Amino acid sequence: FEYGGGGSWNGGSAETPHAHIQQKGSKGKSRRDAVLLLGAMACRLALAPVTEHVQALLMEGLQSLPPLLHELLLEQLAHIALVPPHVHYRTVVDLMFARYSRPFDRGLDGPREPLLRRDLPACLLLLAQNLASSELVADLSKRLLALF
């Protein structure tokens, strides 16, 4: 799906997105597929009530779903933040920066390591590359600089 002229959600690759996120059994695959479906639906429809509801579900998923799905949840939230007119941008970015604030001040050992080394930077890069508003780009830049 696209954000009104931005990049495609998986770079046009024929490979299944997030195939590297493996969970045991069909329950894990079903969860992954449900997250992808919800994110795609919210971005494709771009209707405020739908994106608002899906955003809330994905944010709740960060609390209740296994950590293996957090990368996928964060990426789908980033996609929702990119849906014009970017009404969910601030909520999503606030969540990312509040939940994972000042990651460079902490040691990167333990369960947060993949999140801080790979997942969060990938989502922030997705936002930075696809934001169309100069105001939002400036906001994201300011927040990123504050991490150091």
Side-chain angles (χ1 to χ4, degrees):
F1 47 96
E2 308 224 357
Y3 337 101
S8 69
W9 81 296
N10 69 350
S13 168
E15 180 182 319
T16 303
H18 305 290
H20 65 283
I21 299 174
Q22 298 296 321
Q23 291 195 332
K24 294 180 181 177
S26 63
K27 188 174 184 179
K29 183 179 182 329
S30 295
R31 286 178 177 167
R32 187 189 83 211
D33 292 346
V35 170
L36 286 169
L37 179 64
L38 285 171
M41 178 182 68
C43 292
R44 182 69 94 184
L45 294 175
L47 298 171
V50 174
T51 55
E52 189 171 313
H53 187 67
V54 171
Q55 177 200 10
L57 286 171
L58 296 177
M59 291 175 87
E60 182 181 310
L62 286 171
Q63 303 298 321
S64 60
L65 291 174
L68 284 174
L69 290 173
H70 288 194
E71 172 189 4
L72 185 58
L73 289 164
L74 286 170
E75 183 177 330
Q76 296 308 307
L77 284 167
H79 283 292
I80 289 172
L82 291 168
V83 172
H86 308 294
V87 294
H88 300 290
Y89 165 81
R90 294 208 191 284
T91 305
V92 169
V93 172
D94 286 347
L95 167 88
M96 288 180 181
F97 281 89
R99 186 172 169 142
Y100 310 109
S101 64
R102 306 200 59 83
F104 304 108
D105 287 351
R106 299 184 183 122
L108 294 179
D109 52 344
R112 292 172 48 103
E113 181 177 357
L115 174 75
L116 297 177
R117 288 186 189 250
R118 181 189 67 225
D119 304 345
L120 185 58
C123 291
L124 293 172
L125 179 62
L126 176 71
L127 287 170
Q129 290 176 332
N130 292 290
L131 282 171
S133 163
S134 59
E135 176 188 334
L136 296 180
V137 170
D139 176 69
L140 186 61
S141 297
K142 179 180 168 185
R143 290 174 188 243
L144 286 168
L145 288 172
L147 289 175
F148 295 97

